[in-house]
Amino acid sequence: MKTAKITSYPTSAQWKTELIRLNYRERYRAMLLSTVSVLAMVCAIAVLVATLWMPVLQIYGSSMTPSLHEDDVVVSVKSREYEFGDIVAFYYNNKVLIKRVIATAGEWVEMDKEGNLYLNGELQEESYVQDKALGECDIEMPYQVPEGRIFVMGDHRSVSVDSRSEAVGCVAEEQIVGKLIYRIWPLESRGFVGNR
């Protein structure tokens, strides 16, 4: 003899609980998708800003000591105007170099054997240079900066290879990545990068 199976149907309270659970799951899924979309958009914008407008760079080498040290992390900003004392990053031989702007197009640069710098015939006060030196200089002084170029030098004059060398020469404006404005690492040294 077969027994009849009795099926119990959910009560209205059980239906209500199930609907609330499904509704909560759907809202959670929508919120998660929205959050992931916003985070992806913020990351994409941050990458674009960092790449196109404000590149973040890490310092390698000692050519800018004492102003900047190896492993410092700095923020640069794109610019079209540069003046004496600005620190710039530029492309050279598939590398990014960091140097200080000494002269712009049409200006005359001269250095004596002690490493004193003259710009358009006037001695320049360079408080950021600790050890003055003529360094690796194989260009004829006084030197006039060509049109569309910038004359740059490192602050550690005895070791820096820069516009004083024919190998590097003056930097074309198209080579410039940006002007350094702020040091973000190490934390104890963070702050604006002094131009003079």
Side-chain angles (χ1 to χ4, degrees), residues 93-112:
N93 260 1
N94 297 323
K95 297 179 191 172
V96 176
L97 301 181
I98 311 280
K99 304 292 178 191
R100 191 177 295 273
V101 174
I102 299 301
T104 57
E107 294 184 308
W108 288 88
V109 178
E110 187 170 5
M111 290 184 79
D112 60 24

Side-chain angles (χ1 to χ4, degrees), residues 47-109:
V47 167
L48 279 174
V49 166
T51 304
L52 301 175
W53 187 61
M54 293 183 74
V56 176
L57 306 165
Q58 184 172 3
I59 305 298
Y60 294 100
S62 61
S63 72
M64 284 302 292
T65 55
S67 301
L68 298 169
H69 301 279
E70 182 139 16
D71 296 328
D72 283 1
V73 178
V74 293
V75 175
S76 64
V77 66
K78 299 283 186 182
S79 179
R80 293 204 177 273
E81 294 182 19
Y82 306 98
E83 58 185 43
F84 178 81
D86 288 342
I87 300 174
V88 295
F90 60 94
Y91 294 109
Y92 172 74
N93 260 1
N94 297 323
K95 297 179 191 172
V96 176
L97 301 181
I98 311 280
K99 304 292 178 191
R100 191 177 295 273
V101 174
I102 299 301
T104 57
E107 294 184 308
W108 288 88
V109 178

Side-chain angles (χ1 to χ4, degrees), residues 127-170:
S127 58
Y128 44 80
V129 176
Q130 283 185 342
D131 299 318
K132 291 184 178 182
L134 182 57
E136 188 177 317
C137 182
D138 60 7
I139 61 171
E140 190 176 320
M141 295 277 190
Y143 178 84
Q144 186 175 28
V145 181
E147 198 61 41
R149 303 269 174 171
I150 295 173
F151 192 96
V152 296
M153 289 196 294
D155 289 353
H156 195 173
R157 300 280 162 83
S158 59
V159 299
S160 179
V161 178
D162 45 44
S163 294
R164 296 171 292 173
S165 166
E166 287 182 358
V168 176
C170 289

Side-chain angles (χ1 to χ4, degrees), residues 3 9 15 27 47 49 85 88 107 137 173-174 184:
T3 57
Y9 293 103
W15 276 109
R27 281 188 313 196
V47 167
V49 166
V88 295
E107 294 184 308
C137 182
E173 292 175 6
E174 308 85 62
I184 57 176

